[in-house]
Amino acid sequence: MTKAAVAASYGGPEVIEIVDRELPEPAEGEVVVEVKAIGVNPFDFKSYSGAFGTDESKLPIALGSEASGIVVAVGGIVEGPVGPIAVGDEVIVSGVNGTYTEKILAPARFVFPKPANLDWDVAAGVLAVAGTAYDALESVGVKSGDTVLVHGAAGGVGSVVAQLAKERGATVIGTARARNHEALRAFGAEPVEYGDGLLGRVRAVAPDGIDAAIDAVGTDEAVDVSLELLTDRSKLVTIAAHGRAQADGFLTVGGPASMERRRLASPTLLEQAGAGVFEVTVAKTFPLDDVARAHTELQTAHPRGKFVLIP
C-alpha cells in the first residue's frame, strides 16, 4: 500500500483526499520509485477544477506529474532515456500521472537520473518548468542576437525561459512585479513592471523592437502588447492564453508534439540544471497531507518559485 492524494470530485482544493492504494509489482520496463519530493504545478489543480470538463468517469483523479526519489524495484532489465536503471538510483520522474504519492510505479522512459548536486526538492520541480520553457523557445525559434519579451519572467516557467534565452545569446526583457526585478537582473534580463503603460515601457528599453514574445501569464495585456510590438504573429507563443491564441492566430504550447519534444530534451535540460546554466527556485514546501493548502496558496499571490510536497 502507498498513500496518495486524489481529487474525489470536481471543485476546489477541498475535494482532495488522501487515500491508500495498492501498488502493483513492476512489469517489464517499469520501476517503482520511493518519492522524496513532488513538484506542484498549476495544471494539478486545474485538472479537477472543471476547466477541462467534469467527466465523472475520470474520478478519482490522480494528481501530479513530477517527482524525485530513489528506485526501490525494477521490472527485469530496465533501460531509461539515458541508460540502464537499477535499484538504488536517484532519479527524477516526469510526465506520468499520479506523482502525489509515497511510491510511484512508472514506465522507465519517464525516469531520468537526478543530477547529484540538485537537492530533492529542486529536482522534483525542475523538468515541468524547464521542459515548458524549452518548448516555448523552440516554438518561436529564439536564437543568438534576438530580443525576446518574456511575460511573467519571475514565475516558474518565465524565469527559466529568461535564463535559457540568455544562454542562447538573446537579449531578454521580462515583465514582473517591482519586488522581483532584482531577481530578473541576476538572470541577465532587463525588468519592466507590468500594468498600465507597459507598451511604452517596453518600447523605451527596446527602441529597435522585439523579435519574439513568450507569454507565461495568459493576460490580455501580455497578448495585446506582444501583438502590437511584433510584425509576425508566429513569433508569439503562450502557455496560458489558449482562447486568445485561437482567436488571434498565434502559437500555444502543449499537445503530443510538445510533450515528445520536452521528453527528448529532458536529459540535456537536466545536464544544464546540474551545471548551473539555469536555476529553479523553491518557494515553499508542504507535507503531502497539506496538499489542499498548497493548492489554495498557489492560486494566490505567493513567494517567487515552485511549491513542493514532501511525502
Side-chain angles (χ1 to χ4, degrees), residues 8-23:
S9 59
Y10 292 99
E14 72 281 354
V15 306
I16 299 174
E17 296 180 357
I18 304 297
V19 299
D20 289 323
R21 285 190 157 178
E22 292 284 350
L23 192 69

Side-chain angles (χ1 to χ4, degrees), residues 6-311:
V6 302
S9 59
Y10 292 99
E14 72 281 354
V15 306
I16 299 174
E17 296 180 357
I18 304 297
V19 299
D20 289 323
R21 285 190 157 178
E22 292 284 350
L23 192 69
E25 292 296 317
E28 188 75 26
E30 294 180 330
V31 304
V32 175
V33 176
E34 182 181 285
V35 175
K36 295 294 186 181
I38 304 157
V40 178
N41 296 291
F43 178 84
D44 300 346
F45 57 75
K46 289 179 182 177
S47 69
Y48 61 83
S49 69
F52 308 123
T54 55
D55 184 349
E56 296 289 326
S57 69
K58 295 181 179 180
L59 297 173
I61 297 171
L63 301 176
S65 63
E66 59 176 347
S68 60
I70 299 173
V71 176
V72 294
V74 298
I77 299 174
V78 179
E79 190 83 11
V82 297
I85 302 172
V87 171
D89 286 355
E90 296 184 352
V91 298
I92 292 171
V93 180
S94 182
V96 299
N97 291 327
T99 59
Y100 283 23
T101 184
E102 295 173 320
K103 289 183 179 179
I104 185 168
L105 178 69
R109 68 182 183 277
F110 297 113
V111 180
F112 304 87
K114 181 183 81 67
N117 59 336
L118 291 188
D119 293 338
W120 291 115
D121 54 353
V122 174
V126 69
L127 273 182
V129 292
T132 304
Y134 171 83
D135 191 16
L137 289 164
E138 286 292 291
S139 295
V140 292
V142 171
K143 61 186 186 302
S144 180
D146 284 348
T147 297
V148 184
L149 175 61
V150 181
H151 296 281
V157 173
S159 64
V160 180
V161 169
Q163 293 172 82
L164 291 179
K166 287 295 295 184
E167 175 67 14
R168 294 184 180 207
T171 297
V172 178
I173 301 165
T175 71
R177 292 184 178 91
R179 70 188 186 198
N180 292 321
H181 284 191
E182 284 306 310
L184 293 192
R185 291 188 182 98
F187 295 151
E190 176 66 35
V192 292
E193 189 160 8
Y194 53 69
D196 290 345
L198 175 61
L199 179 62
R201 289 191 292 275
V202 174
R203 280 179 166 155
V205 297
D208 295 327
I210 64 171
D211 300 292
I214 297 174
D215 167 35
V217 291
T219 62
D220 285 335
E221 174 189 69
V223 171
D224 292 341
V225 167
S226 299
L227 292 176
E228 181 69 24
L229 292 168
L230 289 168
T231 57
D232 182 355
R233 292 189 176 204
S234 72
K235 290 297 186 177
L236 168 60
V237 62
T238 184
I239 72 169
H242 299 287
R244 285 295 307 269
Q246 186 174 18
D248 294 315
F250 57 89
L251 300 174
T252 64
V253 298
S258 281
M259 296 302 105
E260 183 64 7
R261 179 158 57 187
R262 297 177 198 186
R263 189 181 71 82
L264 292 174
S266 291
T268 299
L269 292 169
L270 287 175
E271 287 180 9
Q272 290 178 316
V277 171
F278 68 90
E279 65 179 50
V280 173
T281 301
V282 174
K284 199 169 183 179
T285 61
F286 300 79
L288 179 59
D289 288 343
D290 278 350
V291 57
R293 182 164 63 92
H295 280 200
T296 299
E297 291 190 19
L298 191 62
Q299 297 176 70
T300 62
H302 58 80
R304 186 180 66 84
K306 289 273 291 193
F307 280 13
V308 173
L309 302 172
I310 306 297

